[in-house]
Every structure is written in C-alpha cells, then in structure tokens.
Amino acid sequence: MSYKVLLFYKYVNVNKPEQIIGEHLNWCMANDIRGRVFFATEGINGTVSGKNENIEKYKIYLTSFPEFKNIWLKEDEAMENSFRKMQVRLKNEIVHGNLENVSVKNGGKRLTPEGLLKFYKENKEFVIVDARNWYESKIGKFRNAVTPPMKNFREWKKVVGEKLSDYKNKTVVTYCTGGIRCEKASAYMVEKGFKDVYQLEGGISNFIKKFPDTYWEGGMFVFDERRVVNPNLKEEIKHIAKCSFCGKPTSYYINCHNVDCDKIIVSCHECKVSSEYCCSDECRASENKRKTFHG
Ligand SMILES: [Zn+2]
Ligand SMILES: [Zn+2]
C-alpha cells in the first residue's frame, strides 16, 4: 500500500492562526496532500491523506512549527487517497462543541489502551461513555458502553446534565475516535463535579490497533472515504449494526442520495445498490438527487 491517512491534533496556543492558513493550504496543494485541517487560537485538528512520501514530507513540515513540535499523530495505511479535496479553515474551536470556556487543563486522567484493557479484565466497576454521535455508536462501541443519543458534539453539555448526572461519584471513562473530543468532554465533566474521570488516550483508533477482537464491538465510523474501519475478525463482534433494509449484520452506512434528506442509512452493499442509495420511495423519486453514486 502506498498511501497513508494521517490524524493529528493539539490543544496549544496558536498566534494569529489566520496568518498561517493560506500558506498551509498552498503547501498541501503543492505536495498533493488532501483532507481537512482546522486552525484556531486554541490549537490544530486535522485528517489528511496522501502518498507515503508526501505524508512523510508533511510530517516534517507540520512539526517544523514550534507549537506543533510534539503533536500527537496517528497513521493508517490506505489503498488510495481518502479525500478528494484539501480544505484549511479558521475556526473558533478545533472541535465544535460550544465548549470554548472549558479548559483542557481540567481534562480527565489519561487512560492508555493497556489501562482500559486492565479495567475490563479485572472487572473494575466503571462506567464507559461514548462521547460521539448516535450514528457513530450505532456502528460500533465498547462493551457495556453508555451511548447517549447525541446529534452532534454541541449537545454534550445537555447530555452530561440530563443523561450522565447519576455517575458523578463513579469512575467514568470517556472515549471518542482519536481522543480529541474527550479532551474537552472529560474536562467539562470534571468542571461539573464528576469525581473520577478518565479519557481514553488516542481514542478508539489507538485501542483497536493494539487490541482488536477484545472489548471493542463492531466497526469504527470515520469521516473520510473509508467510511468504516473494521478491526475485528471474531464473527460475534465483527458487526453490531444491522442493514436497515434486510437486517443482515453490517458496519456499512451511506447518506441518502436525496440531497434534501441526506439521512445516514445503515445498509449492506447489496441493499444500497437495490435501494438506489435512497432511504425511501419518496427519496428515490426526488428531483434533487446526487448525480453520482457515492459510498
Ligand atoms: Zn441489506
Ligand atoms: Zn432519504
């Protein structure tokens, strides 16, 4: 395989991010790096893909900025570019959660994948909470996880107040895809008086790379062309979601191709084709459908 997907983020003071973005975009275009990178005064967050040698160059470029010297990076191999375009944007928050005033300094204690494995193996009493959206946890989750029905991360404050307040005096572990959402999700819980909060270091992607076929069940939803990463070989935990048309176990999803609907549909490959990439007759009949099949 000659392509890589690179995930990275860092909460760090960035001076005048608006002055960095143009040059960053130009560099990426010139080196055929695709994906998205968000800058804010609170840090950087990105997922990019490219040929191995270009990703190597990008890592050198990125870490040449003093702020990003020790940035957390994660690499996955890929068959092709996982993105079609390159975007570099200026944001208020590197993950939109209306948590501007929450300090990552208050974040939960870092729990390594080894640490979480030990919690499970020793039957420790703990509550594991999914800090992702409902459609992400539908495809896959940790064993016994609490999966709040969040539409997006901006609902986290509400979820903590309405769904998690019973766990204030328990040991709580939060997790998300790569760890970035948990920095503030766990900090917000600590600031709200939760006594013993951990955050899974490097997120699900770090855990499943080290310990597939253990306590992660189903696929991991990703926001790029790969759509889903399936780490498990054991049949019983390979897929936890079911095709919404035929009921067959699957981890796959598409967005309804009626642009006005765009609903996420869990679907096996056969049914997505036979349903013409739409959720209903109404959507199939729509005038406003995507021009090309995608997903
Ligand atoms: Zn099906
Ligand atoms: Zn639809």
Side-chain angles (χ1 to χ4, degrees), residues 3 9 19 26 28 83 104 128 162 188 191 204 211 233:
Y3 286 85
Y9 77 88
Q19 292 180 4
N26 289 340
C28 291
F83 293 93
V104 293
I128 184 156
E162 290 174 8
Y188 180 71
E191 290 180 9
I204 303 157
F211 306 116
L233 293 172

Side-chain angles (χ1 to χ4, degrees), residues 252-272:
Y252 205 74
Y253 68 92
I254 53 168
N255 287 75
C256 178
H257 274 36
N258 172 8
V259 178
D260 305 317
C261 174
D262 199 44
K263 198 168 83 180
I264 288 183
I265 319 164
V266 177
S267 170
C268 71
H269 293 280
E270 291 80 38
C271 291
K272 100 180 162 186

